[in-house]
Amino acid sequence: MKKIVLTLLVTVALGLLAAGAAEEAAALKGWLDQPFSAAALEAEREAKLAAQKNPVKGEFETTAQFEQRKRDSARVQAEIKAEYEEKIRDARAAYEANTQRLRQRLQVILGQSREIVELSSTPGTYDPDLQKLPVNTSEKKFEIVVPLSLAEGVKKNYSQYKLKVTRQLDDDLRWAYLEARLEGPAGQFSSTDKAPAPGKVSVSGGIIPPDLVTSQSYSEPSGNNYLDAEETAQVLITVRNKGKGDAYAVTANLELFRAAGVSCDPSLYFGQIAPGGESSKTLKLRAGSTVEDGQAELKITFSEQNGFPPDPLVLKFDTRALRPPDIYIADLGIDDFNQNLKIEPAEPVEITLRVHNKGSGPARAVVADVLRGEGVYPSAGNSRSSFDLGDIESGDYKDFTFGIVTAKTATALDIRIDLKESRPQFSKLAQPLNLALNKIEQTTQQLVVKGRESGGRIAQAPNLSSDVDRDIPVLAKPDRNRWGVIIGIENYQKVNAPVPFARRDALIMKDYFINILGIPEENIYTKTNNDASKTEFSTIFGPRLAKNASGKDNEVFVYYSGHGVPDNRGREAYLLPYDGIPEYPETSGYGLQTLYTDLGKLNAKHVTIFLDSCFSGRNRDNQSILTGAKALVITPELPSVAPGMTVFSAAGGQQMANVYEDQQHGLFTYYLMKGLRGEADADNDKNITQQELNNYLRQNVTSISRRLDREQEPQLMSSDPKRVIVKLK
C-alpha cells in the first residue's frame, strides 16, 4: 500500500515537470534504487571453476601426468578466481561511477523543479513578543514575521493578502515547501523558514574518452615458427591508453578461422586502464593432435564499456600436422662383474640401453619399464625397473642403466622393455633385448663412444653414430677461392613424405666440405628444411654466388639432399624446395637445367655437384610424393652438363635414392662420405679422381641397395673424369 501511495505521489509530482524531465527523473530514481549485484559474474565464475574441479585419473594416464594435470587445474582455478575478482571489482567501480553521475543529473533536474506557488491559508494567533503571525496551509505551517505596529491591520485585512510559497521536489520526488511570503496592502512579509540557495551540482560536460592502442607478440615452444600438433603457443596482447580518460571493462573477443584442431579461450579481460597505463594478457593457442598443415587466422576484436575500443587485430600463424615419433632400443652395452664381456649365471651385470627417436616428431614423456623374465632378478646395487626419460626430440636419444643377476639354473635371458610414450599409439611394448648367456657383448664404454646425447641438433648427437660421422680427416687447407652450397630438406611444407636423414646428411656434409675439400666455413651456404625455400634457391644460385664465387680462380661445390620431381610431361627434372608443390614443379620447383645454367654463368674454374636425389616422384622410403596419375614412376630427361662441370647423382633412370637406415644417412651420401675420406683411392696413389669416386659409389651403393631389394646405381656426368677431386695425405 505504501509503495502504491508513493508511486501516486511521484506520478503527480512528475506531472508538474516537463514530460521529458519527468521521464528522466523517474528513470534515474528507479536506477538509483537498485543495489549493486555481482550475481551474474559469480555464477559465471562458479560454472568455470566447477569444470576444473575434481579431475579423475585416466586409464592410460601415468601418475606423473595426472599429478601435472591436477597442478594445471589448480593453476587454472587460481587464474579464474583472479580474473573474476578483477571483473567484479571493475563492475562495482563502474556501478559507483555511474551512480554518481546519475545522482548528479537527478539533482540538476530536482533543482530545475523549484517554483513559487500561491496557497490558501488562514492566520493563527499573533505572538507580540516574537512578532510572528502563524499561517496555516494544507501542506505546512509557516511563521510570518510581521512588525507589532502592522500586525493588527494585517490580520484584520488578511483576506486582501496572498501567501506565495517556494517549493522544490526532494530526493523521493515529493514537494518540499521551503519558504513563504505574505503580500498585501501593508507590504511583503517573509517566513522564518528560508529556502537554501539553489545548489551548484558539479556535473562534467561529458565523458573524457580514452585512446586505446594495441600490440601483440607470438611465440611457440619449439622455436620453429609453427604451431605444431600438441603444442601450446602464447600470444601476448598489450592494450595501452594514450588518451586522457579512463577505459572501463576492456575485453578482447577471440575468433579462430581455418584452424581445425586449434582452440583458445573465447575472451580475455583487461579491465580498467587509466590514462597512460597499459594492461597485458597472455592468450594460449592449444593445438590438438588433429591439427593440419596450413595457415590459421586469429581475429581479435575489442569492447570497452563506453564504446571506445581499440582497433581489431589479425594474427596469422602456420600450423603443422602431427609429426609422429618412432622410439626404439637403438643399442646397448654391458658392464659385467667379471669383466669378460659376458653375462654369466649368478653374476651381477649392469645393462645400459639407448633409446633413440628416429621419427620426425618429438616423443613426449617417455617412460622405460624393464620386464625381467623367469630367472632374471634385479641386482642389489641397481634394482630400478622404471625410468622416466622425459621428452626425446627427433634424432635424439636417452640412455638409462639397470642391474640384473641371473639364477644359476637360468638357461636363457628373457628381458623385455616397455617404451611408453604419453600417447599410447606411439608406445613400443615388450621390446626384446635379444641378449644371451655366455655370449660376448658390447661394453658400456663402447656404447658411449658411439655418440653423445644431444640438445636437439642431430648432427652433434647421432643416435647410432655412423663411422662417417666421426674422426673426419683434415686433408686440405682452407682455400678462399673455394665455395660451397649445402642443402638438405628432410621435412617439406606441402609434402607428407619426408626425406629421412636429409637434414643430418647436410649438416655432416658441411664438415666434409671444410676438412676434406678445403672450403672455408664462411664460404659455405648451408640451408636445411624451412630455410631452403624457392626464394633461397634463386638467391643463392643467382646473385649470391655471382657476387662471391664467379671468375676463373674459383671452384664451387654443391651438395643437395631432398626431393626431386619430374614435370607434367616427364621430360624435365626439378629440385623441390621446402615450399615447393610436387604437382607443379614448373612454378614451385627449381629446374635442374636452371641450376646448371646458373652455375655455368659463374665461369668458375670448376663446378662439382653432388645430388642425393632421384626424379621419379618417390622418396627414400619408396613413398610417392605425387598425387593421382602423377604417382606413376616416370623418368625425366636429365640435362647434359657443360665443360668445367661435374655431376655425381645418386641414381639413374627410374631408380630411387635409398635410405641407409643402419647408418642414419642416405645410401648415396654415406658412401660419398666414405669415398671422400680415402676409401675411393683404388690405386693408392693418394689422389681420388672423379672416376675413382664414381666407381666406388657404383660398387657399394649398388651392392647395398640390392640387399634392400631395390636398385640404385649412381651416375657420373663429367667431361674430365680423370680430374682429381681429393688429395690424400
Side-chain angles (χ1 to χ4, degrees):
M1 181 65 183
K2 182 178 179 181
K3 184 175 181 181
I4 295 174
V5 172
L6 177 60
T7 302
L8 290 173
L9 289 173
V10 170
T11 303
V12 171
L14 291 177
L16 300 176
L17 291 173
E23 292 176 359
E24 183 179 1
L28 292 173
K29 178 63 178 171
W31 201 96
L32 290 169
D33 286 340
Q34 297 299 318
F36 172 76
S37 174
L41 288 172
E42 290 169 347
E44 188 177 299
R45 177 194 62 199
E46 294 306 312
K48 289 187 176 182
L49 288 174
Q52 292 292 330
K53 290 179 180 177
N54 303 319
V56 178
K57 186 175 182 297
E59 179 182 359
F60 301 102
E61 186 176 34
T62 66
T63 300
Q65 290 169 340
F66 177 57
E67 291 300 323
Q68 181 60 51
R69 189 158 63 85
K70 287 201 297 184
R71 288 191 293 271
D72 291 343
S73 177
R75 175 183 51 77
V76 171
Q77 289 182 57
E79 290 174 353
I80 291 171
K81 290 178 181 178
E83 177 185 355
Y84 277 87
E85 282 179 7
E86 183 180 12
K87 284 186 174 182
I88 292 172
R89 184 172 61 251
D90 289 350
R92 183 181 295 277
Y95 169 85
E96 292 174 352
N98 195 42
T99 297
Q100 179 64 21
R101 288 195 297 270
L102 297 179
R103 186 172 287 113
Q104 290 173 348
R105 176 58 185 162
L106 181 59
Q107 292 304 313
V108 170
I109 295 175
L110 296 180
Q112 293 171 348
S113 72
R114 179 173 291 196
E115 63 182 5
I116 298 175
V117 296
E118 184 177 331
L119 297 181
S120 298
S121 63
T122 58
T125 302
Y126 181 74
D127 186 339
D129 295 326
L130 298 177
Q131 299 188 42
K132 295 179 182 178
L133 176 64
V135 174
N136 298 307
T137 72
S138 60
E139 306 296 339
K140 183 177 179 180
K141 178 180 179 181
F142 294 96
E143 290 186 339
I144 307 298
V145 178
V146 180
L148 181 60
S149 60
L150 301 175
E152 185 176 358
V154 169
K155 186 169 183 180
K156 183 178 180 180
N157 299 305
Y158 191 80
S159 61
Q160 299 178 28
Y161 284 83
K162 295 180 179 179
L163 185 68
K164 295 185 178 180
V165 178
T166 300
R167 67 180 183 179
Q168 179 179 319
L169 289 175
D170 62 14
D171 288 344
D172 292 325
L173 299 184
R174 297 182 179 185
W175 287 116
Y177 292 85
L178 308 177
E179 67 179 19
R181 296 195 312 273
L182 190 63
E183 297 177 356
Q188 178 176 298
F189 308 97
S190 299
S191 66
T192 55
D193 293 331
K194 300 297 182 184
K200 292 184 178 180
V201 181
S202 177
V203 180
S204 61
I207 293 177
I208 301 175
D211 182 7
L212 300 179
V213 295
T214 59
S215 62
Q216 52 85 17
S217 63
Y218 171 84
S219 63
E220 50 79 31
S222 65
N224 61 2
N225 293 327
Y226 285 93
L227 178 56
D228 291 303
E230 301 181 342
E231 272 189 346
T232 297
Q234 294 188 338
V235 182
L236 179 65
I237 304 173
T238 300
V239 182
R240 290 192 300 117
N241 186 356
K242 296 168 56 181
K244 297 182 179 180
D246 285 302
Y248 296 96
V250 178
T251 303
N253 303 294
L254 311 160
E255 191 172 6
L256 286 164
F257 299 92
R258 300 187 303 278
V262 181
S263 64
C264 69
D265 292 335
S267 65
L268 287 177
Y269 185 71
F270 293 84
Q272 182 176 352
I273 305 176
E278 67 177 41
S279 178
S280 296
K281 299 290 182 180
T282 298
L283 171 69
K284 294 182 178 180
L285 293 172
R286 295 173 287 269
S289 60
T290 59
V291 168
E292 300 176 352
D293 290 344
Q295 187 177 71
E297 181 176 301
L298 173 67
K299 185 176 181 181
I300 309 171
T301 57
F302 296 88
S303 61
E304 192 271 339
Q305 177 176 290
N306 295 317
F308 299 101
D311 293 333
L313 292 174
V314 174
L315 171 66
K316 295 182 179 180
F317 56 95
D318 292 326
T319 59
R320 195 164 67 166
L322 181 67
R323 266 54 176 177
D326 187 358
I327 51 177
Y328 68 107
I329 304 298
D331 208 352
L332 62 83
I334 70 168
D335 185 4
D336 65 308
F337 182 81
N338 296 332
Q339 297 295 302
N340 63 358
L341 311 184
K342 297 179 181 179
I343 301 175
E344 299 171 319
E347 178 188 24
V349 177
E350 287 196 336
I351 301 174
T352 298
L353 296 184
R354 178 159 294 165
V355 179
H356 176 232
N357 178 11
K358 64 179 178 180
S360 57
R364 302 298 189 197
V366 178
V367 175
D369 290 336
V370 180
L371 310 177
R372 299 174 176 89
E374 185 177 356
V376 182
Y377 306 101
S379 65
N382 188 351
S383 59
R384 286 183 62 186
S385 295
S386 185
F387 300 85
D388 186 357
L389 304 182
D391 294 346
I392 306 179
E393 298 298 323
S394 173
D396 287 355
Y397 67 87
K398 295 285 181 71
D399 292 348
F400 68 96
T401 302
F402 62 94
I404 66 165
V405 61
T406 57
K408 286 187 177 181
T409 57
T411 58
L413 278 176
D414 181 13
I415 305 175
R416 299 174 184 271
I417 306 297
D418 279 349
L419 295 178
K420 298 177 180 177
E421 214 257 14
S422 62
R423 298 156 293 184
Q425 67 268 34
F426 300 129
S427 296
K428 299 284 186 68
L429 304 182
Q431 300 291 296
L433 295 189
N434 297 320
L435 290 167
L437 290 169
N438 299 309
K439 174 187 173 185
I440 293 178
E441 301 287 356
Q442 175 178 259
T443 68
T444 302
Q445 288 76 16
Q446 290 171 320
L447 171 67
V448 171
V449 169
K450 287 190 175 182
R452 302 183 308 277
E453 186 169 346
S454 83
R457 289 188 59 194
I458 298 174
Q460 291 182 346
N463 153 268
L464 282 175
S465 180
S466 173
D467 55 348
V468 298
D469 300 343
R470 304 189 309 272
D471 304 321
I472 301 170
V474 178
L475 301 180
K477 295 180 180 179
D479 184 346
R480 62 184 181 85
N481 291 322
R482 287 195 165 192
W483 296 81
V485 177
I486 298 174
I487 297 174
I489 310 174
E490 182 166 349
N491 296 311
Y492 279 77
Q493 184 180 39
K494 298 172 183 176
V495 181
N496 290 327
V499 183
F501 310 122
R503 179 176 180 271
R504 182 166 172 235
D505 287 344
L507 295 176
I508 295 178
M509 183 59 73
K510 181 179 179 180
D511 292 334
Y512 278 78
F513 272 35
I514 295 170
N515 290 5
I516 293 179
L517 299 179
I519 306 174
E521 184 173 3
E522 62 270 20
N523 285 12
I524 301 175
Y525 302 107
T526 305
K527 301 294 178 182
T528 64
N529 289 347
N530 58 322
D531 289 333
S533 64
K534 170 71 178 295
T535 300
E536 198 64 34
F537 271 68
S538 300
T539 302
I540 291 176
F541 295 119
R544 195 165 293 170
L545 283 180
K547 178 181 178 181
N548 296 301
S550 61
K552 59 186 176 66
D553 294 330
N554 291 303
E555 290 184 79
V556 179
F557 294 81
V558 176
Y559 171 84
Y560 173 80
S561 178
H563 282 313
V565 292
D567 68 359
N568 289 317
R569 297 170 297 174
R571 296 180 181 177
E572 295 184 28
Y574 290 81
L575 304 180
L576 192 65
Y578 168 77
D579 51 358
I581 303 173
E583 289 78 16
Y584 303 100
E586 297 92 341
T587 54
S588 66
Y590 196 79
L592 205 55
Q593 182 62 67
T594 302
L595 174 68
Y596 295 170
T597 300
D598 287 345
L599 293 174
K601 291 177 182 177
L602 298 176
N603 295 316
K605 180 165 61 177
H606 201 84
V607 175
T608 304
I609 304 171
F610 304 103
L611 295 176
D612 194 351
S613 179
C614 61
F615 301 90
S616 64
R618 308 186 79 81
N619 75 344
R620 289 176 173 177
D621 286 334
N622 198 25
Q623 296 174 291
S624 174
I625 66 171
L626 304 169
T627 58
K630 291 213 58 191
L632 297 173
V633 176
I634 52 181
T635 307
E637 215 173 285
L638 299 182
S640 58
V641 297
M645 185 178 296
T646 298
V647 178
F648 292 88
S649 55
Q654 297 181 350
Q655 298 170 350
M656 291 183 305
N658 293 294
V659 64
Y660 199 4
E661 187 80 28
D662 289 345
Q663 297 297 334
Q664 310 282 285
H665 280 294
L667 181 57
F668 172 83
T669 295
Y670 172 75
Y671 281 104
L672 173 62
M673 291 175 178
K674 288 182 75 70
L676 289 173
R677 63 194 290 158
E679 292 197 16
D681 184 17
D683 56 10
N684 296 315
D685 65 350
K686 301 297 183 181
N687 292 320
I688 299 176
T689 65
Q690 295 176 3
Q691 189 63 61
E692 283 182 309
L693 180 58
N694 184 61
N695 291 343
Y696 176 82
L697 289 169
R698 289 170 71 96
Q699 177 183 352
N700 288 280
V701 172
T702 301
S703 174
I704 297 298
S705 65
R706 287 174 179 170
R707 293 184 199 174
L708 300 172
D709 293 327
R710 297 177 183 176
E711 289 292 328
Q712 180 180 347
E713 187 173 0
Q715 305 293 312
L716 170 65
M717 290 186 286
S718 173
S719 59
D720 185 10
K722 294 183 179 180
R723 179 182 175 84
V724 175
I725 191 170
V726 175
K727 290 182 178 293
L728 304 176
K729 291 185 177 180

